[in-house]
PDB file of all heavy atoms in Angstrom:
ATOM      1  N   THR A   8      92.560 104.779 106.566  1.00  0.00           N
ATOM      2  CA  THR A   8      93.038 103.991 107.705  1.00  0.00           C
ATOM      3  C   THR A   8      94.092 104.779 108.443  1.00  0.00           C
ATOM      4  O   THR A   8      94.712 105.693 107.849  1.00  0.00           O
ATOM      5  CB  THR A   8      93.758 102.677 107.175  1.00  0.00           C
ATOM      6  OG1 THR A   8      94.759 103.036 106.229  1.00  0.00           O
ATOM      7  CG2 THR A   8      92.765 101.740 106.506  1.00  0.00           C
ATOM      8  N   PRO A  12     102.837 104.355 112.710  1.00  0.00           N
ATOM      9  CA  PRO A  12     104.235 104.039 112.489  1.00  0.00           C
ATOM     10  C   PRO A  12     104.820 103.440 113.825  1.00  0.00           C
ATOM     11  O   PRO A  12     104.272 103.673 114.914  1.00  0.00           O
ATOM     12  CB  PRO A  12     104.922 105.327 112.247  1.00  0.00           C
ATOM     13  CG  PRO A  12     104.007 106.337 112.874  1.00  0.00           C
ATOM     14  CD  PRO A  12     102.663 105.801 112.756  1.00  0.00           C
ATOM     15  N   ALA A  13     105.800 102.597 113.650  1.00  0.00           N
ATOM     16  CA  ALA A  13     106.487 102.053 114.856  1.00  0.00           C
ATOM     17  C   ALA A  13     107.556 103.065 115.187  1.00  0.00           C
ATOM     18  O   ALA A  13     108.453 103.325 114.473  1.00  0.00           O
ATOM     19  CB  ALA A  13     107.145 100.685 114.521  1.00  0.00           C
ATOM     20  N   VAL A  14     107.350 103.657 116.402  1.00  0.00           N
ATOM     21  CA  VAL A  14     108.269 104.710 116.885  1.00  0.00           C
ATOM     22  C   VAL A  14     108.723 104.321 118.273  1.00  0.00           C
ATOM     23  O   VAL A  14     107.976 103.965 119.116  1.00  0.00           O
ATOM     24  CB  VAL A  14     107.600 106.082 116.879  1.00  0.00           C
ATOM     25  CG1 VAL A  14     108.463 107.180 117.471  1.00  0.00           C
ATOM     26  CG2 VAL A  14     107.052 106.446 115.539  1.00  0.00           C
ATOM     27  N   ASP A  18     112.434 108.168 120.377  1.00  0.00           N
ATOM     28  CA  ASP A  18     111.981 108.842 119.203  1.00  0.00           C
ATOM     29  C   ASP A  18     110.736 109.696 119.492  1.00  0.00           C
ATOM     30  O   ASP A  18     110.666 110.832 119.100  1.00  0.00           O
ATOM     31  CB  ASP A  18     111.777 107.987 118.003  1.00  0.00           C
ATOM     32  CG  ASP A  18     112.975 107.414 117.415  1.00  0.00           C
ATOM     33  OD1 ASP A  18     114.108 107.923 117.740  1.00  0.00           O
ATOM     34  OD2 ASP A  18     112.942 106.408 116.641  1.00  0.00           O
ATOM     35  N   LYS A  20     109.745 110.871 122.311  1.00  0.00           N
ATOM     36  CA  LYS A  20     110.042 111.979 123.180  1.00  0.00           C
ATOM     37  C   LYS A  20     110.786 113.102 122.403  1.00  0.00           C
ATOM     38  O   LYS A  20     110.494 114.316 122.629  1.00  0.00           O
ATOM     39  CB  LYS A  20     110.935 111.550 124.337  1.00  0.00           C
ATOM     40  CG  LYS A  20     110.178 110.700 125.354  1.00  0.00           C
ATOM     41  CD  LYS A  20     111.137 110.182 126.411  1.00  0.00           C
ATOM     42  CE  LYS A  20     110.291 109.387 127.478  1.00  0.00           C
ATOM     43  NZ  LYS A  20     111.155 108.846 128.559  1.00  0.00           N
ATOM     44  N   ILE A  21     111.607 112.721 121.397  1.00  0.00           N
ATOM     45  CA  ILE A  21     112.297 113.712 120.624  1.00  0.00           C
ATOM     46  C   ILE A  21     111.325 114.449 119.714  1.00  0.00           C
ATOM     47  O   ILE A  21     111.345 115.684 119.551  1.00  0.00           O
ATOM     48  CB  ILE A  21     113.383 113.016 119.754  1.00  0.00           C
ATOM     49  CG1 ILE A  21     114.557 112.593 120.605  1.00  0.00           C
ATOM     50  CG2 ILE A  21     113.892 114.054 118.671  1.00  0.00           C
ATOM     51  CD1 ILE A  21     115.507 111.687 119.909  1.00  0.00           C
ATOM     52  N   SER A  24     109.306 116.829 121.835  1.00  0.00           N
ATOM     53  CA  SER A  24     110.122 117.974 122.276  1.00  0.00           C
ATOM     54  C   SER A  24     110.325 118.979 121.132  1.00  0.00           C
ATOM     55  O   SER A  24     110.236 120.181 121.361  1.00  0.00           O
ATOM     56  CB  SER A  24     111.462 117.409 122.774  1.00  0.00           C
ATOM     57  OG  SER A  24     112.377 118.513 122.993  1.00  0.00           O
ATOM     58  N   HIS A  31     103.769 127.695 120.733  1.00  0.00           N
ATOM     59  CA  HIS A  31     103.257 129.060 120.666  1.00  0.00           C
ATOM     60  C   HIS A  31     102.383 129.294 119.360  1.00  0.00           C
ATOM     61  O   HIS A  31     101.600 130.156 119.360  1.00  0.00           O
ATOM     62  CB  HIS A  31     104.359 130.069 120.772  1.00  0.00           C
ATOM     63  CG  HIS A  31     105.285 130.001 119.554  1.00  0.00           C
ATOM     64  ND1 HIS A  31     106.275 129.119 119.446  1.00  0.00           N
ATOM     65  CD2 HIS A  31     105.307 130.846 118.418  1.00  0.00           C
ATOM     66  CE1 HIS A  31     106.913 129.302 118.372  1.00  0.00           C
ATOM     67  NE2 HIS A  31     106.359 130.382 117.678  1.00  0.00           N
ATOM     68  N   TYR A  35     100.241 124.106 115.703  1.00  0.00           N
ATOM     69  CA  TYR A  35     100.921 122.884 116.255  1.00  0.00           C
ATOM     70  C   TYR A  35     100.234 122.453 117.579  1.00  0.00           C
ATOM     71  O   TYR A  35     100.541 121.352 118.057  1.00  0.00           O
ATOM     72  CB  TYR A  35     102.402 123.206 116.504  1.00  0.00           C
ATOM     73  CG  TYR A  35     103.212 123.378 115.237  1.00  0.00           C
ATOM     74  CD1 TYR A  35     103.384 124.685 114.719  1.00  0.00           C
ATOM     75  CD2 TYR A  35     103.714 122.330 114.551  1.00  0.00           C
ATOM     76  CE1 TYR A  35     104.082 124.928 113.570  1.00  0.00           C
ATOM     77  CE2 TYR A  35     104.430 122.547 113.379  1.00  0.00           C
ATOM     78  CZ  TYR A  35     104.597 123.835 112.869  1.00  0.00           C
ATOM     79  OH  TYR A  35     105.269 124.059 111.765  1.00  0.00           O
ATOM     80  N   ARG A  36      99.384 123.251 118.234  1.00  0.00           N
ATOM     81  CA  ARG A  36      98.878 122.911 119.490  1.00  0.00           C
ATOM     82  C   ARG A  36      98.056 121.674 119.507  1.00  0.00           C
ATOM     83  O   ARG A  36      98.221 120.846 120.411  1.00  0.00           O
ATOM     84  CB  ARG A  36      98.078 124.088 120.072  1.00  0.00           C
ATOM     85  CG  ARG A  36      98.950 125.213 120.538  1.00  0.00           C
ATOM     86  CD  ARG A  36      98.184 126.306 121.191  1.00  0.00           C
ATOM     87  NE  ARG A  36      98.995 127.519 121.166  1.00  0.00           N
ATOM     88  CZ  ARG A  36      98.511 128.685 121.025  1.00  0.00           C
ATOM     89  NH1 ARG A  36      97.212 128.897 120.950  1.00  0.00           N
ATOM     90  NH2 ARG A  36      99.301 129.745 121.060  1.00  0.00           N
ATOM     91  N   LEU A  38      98.034 119.176 117.470  1.00  0.00           N
ATOM     92  CA  LEU A  38      98.933 117.996 117.202  1.00  0.00           C
ATOM     93  C   LEU A  38      99.673 117.641 118.476  1.00  0.00           C
ATOM     94  O   LEU A  38      99.735 116.464 118.833  1.00  0.00           O
ATOM     95  CB  LEU A  38      99.939 118.322 116.075  1.00  0.00           C
ATOM     96  CG  LEU A  38     100.974 117.252 115.851  1.00  0.00           C
ATOM     97  CD1 LEU A  38     100.397 115.897 115.497  1.00  0.00           C
ATOM     98  CD2 LEU A  38     101.950 117.673 114.745  1.00  0.00           C
ATOM     99  N   GLU A  40      98.882 118.227 121.593  1.00  0.00           N
ATOM    100  CA  GLU A  40      97.960 117.755 122.520  1.00  0.00           C
ATOM    101  C   GLU A  40      97.660 116.283 122.234  1.00  0.00           C
ATOM    102  O   GLU A  40      97.554 115.493 123.183  1.00  0.00           O
ATOM    103  CB  GLU A  40      96.686 118.577 122.553  1.00  0.00           C
ATOM    104  CG  GLU A  40      96.907 119.952 123.224  1.00  0.00           C
ATOM    105  CD  GLU A  40      95.704 120.891 123.020  1.00  0.00           C
ATOM    106  OE1 GLU A  40      94.705 120.436 122.485  1.00  0.00           O
ATOM    107  OE2 GLU A  40      95.776 122.012 123.429  1.00  0.00           O
ATOM    108  N   ARG A  41      97.398 115.958 121.007  1.00  0.00           N
ATOM    109  CA  ARG A  41      97.095 114.546 120.598  1.00  0.00           C
ATOM    110  C   ARG A  41      98.270 113.632 120.924  1.00  0.00           C
ATOM    111  O   ARG A  41      98.093 112.517 121.489  1.00  0.00           O
ATOM    112  CB  ARG A  41      96.738 114.489 119.174  1.00  0.00           C
ATOM    113  CG  ARG A  41      95.355 115.022 118.789  1.00  0.00           C
ATOM    114  CD  ARG A  41      94.870 114.632 117.455  1.00  0.00           C
ATOM    115  NE  ARG A  41      95.851 114.886 116.346  1.00  0.00           N
ATOM    116  CZ  ARG A  41      96.013 115.997 115.691  1.00  0.00           C
ATOM    117  NH1 ARG A  41      95.289 117.032 115.920  1.00  0.00           N
ATOM    118  NH2 ARG A  41      96.880 116.009 114.717  1.00  0.00           N
ATOM    119  N   GLU A  43     100.658 114.124 123.143  1.00  0.00           N
ATOM    120  CA  GLU A  43     100.784 114.065 124.586  1.00  0.00           C
ATOM    121  C   GLU A  43      99.807 113.086 125.154  1.00  0.00           C
ATOM    122  O   GLU A  43     100.113 112.269 125.994  1.00  0.00           O
ATOM    123  CB  GLU A  43     100.615 115.430 125.199  1.00  0.00           C
ATOM    124  CG  GLU A  43     101.797 116.310 124.978  1.00  0.00           C
ATOM    125  CD  GLU A  43     101.628 117.768 125.484  1.00  0.00           C
ATOM    126  OE1 GLU A  43     100.461 118.141 125.726  1.00  0.00           O
ATOM    127  OE2 GLU A  43     102.670 118.451 125.619  1.00  0.00           O
ATOM    128  N   ALA A  46     100.921 109.634 124.343  1.00  0.00           N
ATOM    129  CA  ALA A  46     102.115 109.347 125.080  1.00  0.00           C
ATOM    130  C   ALA A  46     101.729 108.913 126.513  1.00  0.00           C
ATOM    131  O   ALA A  46     102.288 107.922 127.045  1.00  0.00           O
ATOM    132  CB  ALA A  46     103.048 110.533 125.150  1.00  0.00           C
ATOM    133  N   ALA A  52     104.890 109.173 128.695  1.00  0.00           N
ATOM    134  CA  ALA A  52     104.996 110.304 129.496  1.00  0.00           C
ATOM    135  C   ALA A  52     103.943 110.279 130.550  1.00  0.00           C
ATOM    136  O   ALA A  52     102.945 109.731 130.520  1.00  0.00           O
ATOM    137  CB  ALA A  52     104.768 111.534 128.510  1.00  0.00           C
ATOM    138  N   ARG A  56     100.532 118.088 134.987  1.00  0.00           N
ATOM    139  CA  ARG A  56      99.655 118.617 135.965  1.00  0.00           C
ATOM    140  C   ARG A  56      99.300 120.025 135.739  1.00  0.00           C
ATOM    141  O   ARG A  56     100.192 120.863 135.228  1.00  0.00           O
ATOM    142  CB  ARG A  56     100.403 118.615 137.401  1.00  0.00           C
ATOM    143  CG  ARG A  56     100.751 117.280 137.781  1.00  0.00           C
ATOM    144  CD  ARG A  56     101.422 117.233 139.194  1.00  0.00           C
ATOM    145  NE  ARG A  56     101.860 115.941 139.515  1.00  0.00           N
ATOM    146  CZ  ARG A  56     101.257 115.163 140.345  1.00  0.00           C
ATOM    147  NH1 ARG A  56     100.155 115.523 140.897  1.00  0.00           N
ATOM    148  NH2 ARG A  56     101.754 113.963 140.632  1.00  0.00           N
ATOM    149  N   SER A  58      98.627 123.791 136.561  1.00  0.00           N
ATOM    150  CA  SER A  58      99.128 124.711 137.592  1.00  0.00           C
ATOM    151  C   SER A  58      97.937 125.501 138.151  1.00  0.00           C
ATOM    152  O   SER A  58      97.049 125.874 137.444  1.00  0.00           O
ATOM    153  CB  SER A  58     100.254 125.656 137.092  1.00  0.00           C
ATOM    154  OG  SER A  58      99.803 126.170 135.805  1.00  0.00           O
TER     155      SER A  58
END
Side-chain angles (χ1 to χ4, degrees):
T8 57
V14 178
D18 289 344
K20 289 178 180 179
I21 290 169
S24 175
H31 64 279
Y35 294 92
R36 287 185 199 146
L38 172 60
E40 289 170 4
R41 287 192 314 271
E43 287 173 341
R56 297 181 187 260
S58 48

